[in-house]
Every structure is written in C-alpha cells, then in structure tokens.
C-alpha cells in the first residue's frame, strides 16, 4: 500500500482513506458528506473551524483496533467523538482528521447486581445509564446538564464532573474497569471491576481524563450506587460573593448536601428570557445559591436558612414544595449554558481549593470589572467544589475574532491568579484546544514532559487526537 504523503490533495487523501476503510467498515458506516462531517467534527464550543477528512462509525472493538492499525501505517490522525457536548474543543477535528464516532457502540452489555457493575460500550448515553440504574433500584449519580446526549466514553475521557460532585465525586470515582484500544492498536483491559487490586500502576486512571490522546475508550465497567433518598432544593438570594462561602459552611455543618451551586442574576436573567420560568424570589439579588439536600433533613435546613438570614448573608429564599418545583428551580441553573449559547461565550472553567474561593472570587471579580467593563460576564458554577464558570458574552455588534482576542488577552492575568493559588485552569471541561496553550499555569514543565513521554508509550506515531491537551512539538 502506498503511504499517504503530505503532498497529496485533501480529495486524494479522502479517497485513499475511504478505499482503506471499506476493508474494515461497511460503506454505510463511513461518511464524507460535508454537512454530516461538520456536525461530527465539532463540540459545544462552536469556536473552531472544523474540517474532518471523513468519519467512521465502528460497531466493534475489532473494527476500532483495525482502524488504528491502518491509521498508523498510513498516517491518518484520529479524533474520538462521543456526544460532542464538550466545552474545550477536545473532540474537534480542525485538520483533516478521521472522526471516530461511538454512536453505534451504544449498548449495555451486562449487569451484575451483586457487584452493581454495568458493563457498557463507550457510546452509551449518560441518561441511558442513569435510567438503567433507576430501573434496577440503583443510581448512577454523576450528572450534568448534558446528560441527555453526553456519552460514557467521553465522560471518562474528560473525567467529567457536574452538579453533584460535592457528594458523589467525578466520573473517575465510578469507573471500575475499562477496555481501551491504544494508539498502537493494542486492546488492553484495566482493573476488571475489582474493588481491590494492588498490582502496580493503575493504567485505568491514566486513560481517565486523557482526552483521547492515548487511545480510544471502547468499553467500561461502571459502578452503580444505592438509590438516593428523596432530595429537596432551596434557592437563596445572596448579595455578596463572599457570603456564599459562609452559607456553604453553615449548610455543610448541618445537612447532607448533594449540590451547592451558584449563579449570578445576569446568568439567571438569560435563562428567564429563554424560557417560561419565573423569578423564584421576590427580591432581586446579585447572586443565588441553589442547595440540594436530603428531604428528611428539611427541618435542619430551614434552621440553617434562618441562621443565614440572621447573619445577613441571605436576603430571601424559596424551598421546593413539589417535584415539579424542584425541577423548575434546577432549570434556573441547568439552563444557563444553553440560554447563553447564542452569545458565543468565551468560557472559563477554573477551580481553587474551597478555602481559597472567597479571596479568589474577589480577585477575579476585580480583574473582570477592570478589563471587561463593557462586556456582560456571567458567573455560575459548582461553588461547593471550588469550581467556577466564568462566561464572557460577545456583544452582537462585536466581531467574533476581535472579541476572542480581547478575552485571550486577559487569560494570562487570570491564570496567574490561579497559579498563585495552586488552582486549575480547567476544573472539569478538560484542556482540549481551548486551554492547551495555558497548561503550564496548572502543571509543572517536568509534569508536562512526563505526560508527553506517556503519550509516546501508547501512541508512538502521534495519531491520537493530535494537538489536543499538549502543544504539538
Ligand atoms: C455546567 O456546569 C457546565 O453547567 C457548563 O459545566 C458550564 O457552560 C459552561 O460554562
Ligand atoms: Zn460545570
């Protein structure tokens, strides 16, 4: 077989790939159709020009392994694609890559009720796993606003977090085993669902959060948990950012929290404009806290609320009285990303230790007011985990490139603040393309070098999601 040289035109390369891919996939599982590729080659960031060469839809591990082996021989870069709900450009195909979609590997293969383990393919959608767990009287508690379309493989590849990390942890905490196809085309199985396994390096954890740079996650053993007791939700109106932390502490001491989220009035007003929801409180305050806790602790929660009122930290509050009211209160928070999507926001997803949050918030608030006095800045996030989302909204009249340029100009200042506090420039969205150039603000040079060496072990020819997470060399 001839090697595909760089001099070949895109059309020739595409043609060559299709000919080779037809030896692995049925024709209907290969596409070069422009509109389809545009969708398959992007994620929710919408900031990048996409230009995949082709896309394939494997239905088996063997097909994935064969594809990787072929891609190594013929130098085709591969980009994994799950639910495409990522927010950092981690699965965006910008340079003639082959998109590998897991949409057709979406089956739950086995459930063991004793181990409470679900063996599933990578393309199983988060909500499908949650539903499966509920049907068996159990729970898969990792949850996000994108649960309806995000896939388990993508969740693992980015170690997705979400809204209940404060109680249930990140995706990492629920992966009991995994099968991967490495960038060399080897099929490896990690941990096999064991609770205890002290046999050296746990390679499973290297692949979790690796953003498709080491290989493809093709199957996983996901742990299920005990079904949750009924939950209640409160939304509190808060005047000052710093008071949010005092409220968090007060509630943490009193009740078993499953979420402690916050959003600014601006963020909520975008959701209200976008929906039929109504303001939850009579008073308008600059910030709101959404607190979820066990229903049987409602009396204790009400006591904590009164204490916060007495302290002057809280101005007003509402407690859900029914499931539909709980859903509506959650929609005020869950609906933010979608309702601001039209502003092509510049996203930041940062974290510091919880104890550092008040001072960090002050610093960042000052920075934002100084540098973006004319731009709308939406604050929200998982304040109970020290994770803040800062979305800068593009005014309709401002050119997109000029807008992004302005936002990027502030990044070093913002990231220096994070570095000074030992925080992270990406708490839960991953690095992808969006934060790749700033990795050094969260990782030592020697650590980044070690990451490169690890990548080389699993992906010696650099075909796996090139240019993501690590700068090309
Ligand atoms: C959330 O917390 C997601 O809703 C998305 O992480 C955050 O849109 C964002 O910036
Ligand atoms: Zn989030």
């Amino acid at each position: 077989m001839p090697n595909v040289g760089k001099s070949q035109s895109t059309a020739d390369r595409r043609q060559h790939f299709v000919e080779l891919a037809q030896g692995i996939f049925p024709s209907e599982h290969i596409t070069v159709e422009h509109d389809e590729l545009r969708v398959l080659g992007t994620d929710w960031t919408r900031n990048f020009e996409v230009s995949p060469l082709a896309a394939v839809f494997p239905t088996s591990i063997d097909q994935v392994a064969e594809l990787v082996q072929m891609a190594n021989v013929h130098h085709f870069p591969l980009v994994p694609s799950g639910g495409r709900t990522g927010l950092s450009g981690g699965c965006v195909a910008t340079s003639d890559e082959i998109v590998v979609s897991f949409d057709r590997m979406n089956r739950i293969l086995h459930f063991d009720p004793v181990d409470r383990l679900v063996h599933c393919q990578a393309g199983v959608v988060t909500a499908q796993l949650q539903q499966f767990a509920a049907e068996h009287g159990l729970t898969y508690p990792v949850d996000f606003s994108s649960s309806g379309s995000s896939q388990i493989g993508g969740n693992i590849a980015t170690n997705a977090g979400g809204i209940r990390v404060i109680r249930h942890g990140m995706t990492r905490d629920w992966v009991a085993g995994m099968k991967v196809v490495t960038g060399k085309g080897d099929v490896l199985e990690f941990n096999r669902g064991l609770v205890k396994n002290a046999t050296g390096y746990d390679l499973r954890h290297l692949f979790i959060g690796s953003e498709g740079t080491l290989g493809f996650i093709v199957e996983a053993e996901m742990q299920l948990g005990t079904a949750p007791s009924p939950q209640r939700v409160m939304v509190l109106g808060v005047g000052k950012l710093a008071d949010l932390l005092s409220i968090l502490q007060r509630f943490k001491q009193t009740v078993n929290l499953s979420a402690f989220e916050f959003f600014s009035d601006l963020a909520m007003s975008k959701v209200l404009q976008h929906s039929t929801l109504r303001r939850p409180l009579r008073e308008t305050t600059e910030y709101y806290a959404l607190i979820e806790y066990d229903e049987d602790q409602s009396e204790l929660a009400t006591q904590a609320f009164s204490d916060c009122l007495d302290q002057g930290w809280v101005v007003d509050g509402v407690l859900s009285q029914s499931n539909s009211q709980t859903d509506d209160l959650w929609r005020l928070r869950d609906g933010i990303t979608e309702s601001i999507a039209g502003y092509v926001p510049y996203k930041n997803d940062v974290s510091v230790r919880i104890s550092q949050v008040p001072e960090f918030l002050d610093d960042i608030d000052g920075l934002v007011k100084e540098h973006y006095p004319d731009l709308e800045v939406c604050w929200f996030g998982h304040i109970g985990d020290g994770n803040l989302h800062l979305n800068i909204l593009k005014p309709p009249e401002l050119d997109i490139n000029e807008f992004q340029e302005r936002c990027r100009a502030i990044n070093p200042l913002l990231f220096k603040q994070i570095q000074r506090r030992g925080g992270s420039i990406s708490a839960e969205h991953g690095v992808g393309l969006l934060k790749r150039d700033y990795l050094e603000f969260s990782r030592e040079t020697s650590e980044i070098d070690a990451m490169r060496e690890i990548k080389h072990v699993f992906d010696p020819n650099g075909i796996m999601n090139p240019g993501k997470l690590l700068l090309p060399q």
Side-chain angles (χ1 to χ4, degrees):
M1 290 275 183
N3 234 5
V4 177
K6 281 216 164 67
S7 55
Q8 268 190 302
S9 73
T10 299
D12 288 348
R13 231 170 122 59
R14 179 171 285 140
Q15 174 66 25
H16 186 222
F17 173 77
V18 170
E19 277 164 20
L20 293 166
Q22 277 169 342
I24 304 172
F25 302 97
S27 296
E28 66 273 22
H29 295 174
I30 306 168
T31 184
V32 292
E33 207 266 308
H34 180 261
D35 290 348
E36 217 181 333
L37 289 185
R38 285 196 70 76
V39 174
L40 288 164
T42 194
D43 67 1
W44 278 4
T45 47
R46 311 265 185 272
N47 289 342
F48 302 99
E49 269 303 308
V50 301
S51 66
L53 198 66
V56 291
F57 298 85
T59 52
S60 69
I61 296 178
D62 285 350
Q63 283 183 345
V64 178
E66 267 190 75
L67 170 72
V68 174
Q69 284 152 15
M70 179 266 266
N72 269 292
V73 174
H74 298 278
H75 309 293
F76 287 110
L78 304 174
V79 174
S81 171
R84 299 179 286 280
T85 57
L87 293 166
S88 63
C91 71
V92 169
T94 54
S95 341
D96 287 356
E97 301 95 332
I98 309 302
V99 174
V100 184
S101 163
F102 284 86
D103 287 1
R104 287 182 180 271
M105 288 181 69
N106 60 356
R107 280 180 307 125
I108 288 180
L109 302 172
H110 181 69
F111 171 57
D112 188 318
V114 175
D115 294 320
R116 294 179 165 186
L117 286 181
V118 182
H119 181 186
C120 61
Q121 293 181 309
V124 163
V125 169
T126 315
Q128 190 188 340
L129 181 61
Q130 289 169 336
Q131 177 66 30
F132 181 89
E135 282 161 12
H136 290 80
L138 296 167
T139 188
Y140 179 67
V142 184
D143 198 15
F144 352 86
S145 27
S146 60
S147 290
S149 31
S150 61
Q151 297 179 0
I152 294 302
N155 297 350
I156 297 174
T158 53
N159 188 24
I163 51 184
R164 296 202 171 81
V165 171
I166 195 170
R167 186 181 295 188
H168 301 293
M170 309 277 284
T171 299
R172 181 185 300 284
D173 302 302
W174 297 86
V175 182
M178 199 196 287
K179 262 192 203 159
V180 302
V181 175
T182 70
K184 286 206 283 198
D186 297 333
V187 180
L188 303 183
E189 184 170 8
F190 303 139
N191 199 56
R192 303 180 304 282
L194 297 173
V195 176
K196 299 182 97 172
N197 180 10
T199 52
Y201 305 143
D202 193 338
L203 302 181
R204 161 184 54 157
H205 287 292
L206 266 184
F207 273 71
I208 299 173
S210 63
E211 301 189 26
T213 60
L214 303 179
F216 292 105
I217 292 155
V218 286
E219 285 179 11
E221 297 271 1
M222 301 305 291
Q223 186 73 59
L224 301 186
T226 306
S229 60
Q231 301 292 297
R232 275 281 188 111
V233 167
M234 250 184 211
V235 169
L236 309 181
V238 182
K240 288 200 292 245
L241 276 173
D243 289 342
L244 282 162
L245 265 289
S246 310
I247 299 166
L248 170 65
Q249 282 312 105
R250 182 66 190 85
F251 273 82
K252 249 185 171 174
Q253 285 157 3
T254 315
V255 290
N256 200 10
L257 291 173
S258 51
F260 193 101
E261 299 280 308
F262 96 109
F263 42 94
S264 63
D265 191 56
L266 178 68
M268 184 171 79
S269 68
K270 300 294 178 195
V271 178
L272 297 175
Q273 280 165 23
H274 218 77
S275 66
T276 53
L277 293 168
R278 296 218 307 260
R279 283 193 164 270
L281 305 175
R282 267 192 305 271
E283 300 271 348
T284 298
T285 49
E286 205 155 338
Y287 305 100
Y288 301 91
L290 184 151
I291 306 174
E292 190 182 72
Y293 52 90
D294 293 345
E295 188 178 59
D296 59 10
Q297 294 186 315
S298 290
E299 254 177 56
L300 291 170
T302 311
Q303 184 55 52
F305 168 60
S306 310
D307 292 350
C308 292
L309 268 178
D310 292 346
Q311 294 285 346
W313 300 329
V314 165
V315 178
D316 197 359
V318 60
L319 177 64
S320 66
Q321 303 293 345
S322 63
N323 287 347
S324 81
Q325 210 181 355
T326 300
D327 290 349
D328 283 353
L329 291 177
W330 261 117
R331 281 170 63 204
L332 294 171
R333 163 66 185 88
D334 270 350
I336 298 172
T337 300
E338 199 186 323
S339 61
I340 60 178
Y343 296 89
V344 214
Y346 191 86
K347 288 184 179 292
N348 275 299
D349 161 45
V350 300
S351 68
V352 290
R353 283 162 67 152
I354 298 164
S355 57
Q356 302 244 344
V357 168
E359 285 166 32
F360 176 68
L361 277 171
D362 268 355
D363 289 350
I364 303 306
D365 203 34
L367 204 64
V368 161
K369 287 194 172 119
E370 187 187 337
H371 294 277
Y372 307 129
D374 54 332
L375 298 183
E376 286 189 316
V377 177
C378 253
W379 282 97
F380 59 103
H382 321 281
I383 204 161
D385 316 324
N387 176 190
L388 311 168
H389 297 309
L390 184 80
N391 279 238
I392 303 149
L393 310 189
K394 187 185 88 58
E397 66 284 0
L398 190 60
D399 169 71
I400 179 84
N401 295 321
E402 205 181 310
F403 167 70
Q404 287 184 3
E405 201 51 48
R406 267 190 75 183
C407 296
R408 275 197 291 268
I410 304 308
N411 277 346
L413 301 176
L414 171 65
F415 295 156
K416 269 199 191 109
Q417 295 284 0
I418 293 169
Q419 188 175 36
R420 191 164 67 84
R421 297 184 186 283
S424 174
I425 59 153
S426 180
E428 60 171 2
H429 294 170
V431 176
L433 282 176
L434 197 65
K435 296 286 143 60
R436 178 193 70 182
D437 298 357
Y438 308 102
L439 194 56
E440 76 214 28
F441 287 95
S442 280
R443 298 297 197 111
E444 298 290 333
T445 308
S446 53
E447 242 186 316
I448 297 175
D449 289 346
M451 281 161 121
R452 278 190 199 288
E453 284 175 38
I454 290 167
K455 177 168 171 66
H456 191 73
V457 169
F458 291 103
D459 178 29
N461 294 320
I463 60 160
M464 284 307 308
N465 217 5
K468 313 292 166 42
L469 176 59
L470 299 167
L471 273 166
Q473 282 193 315

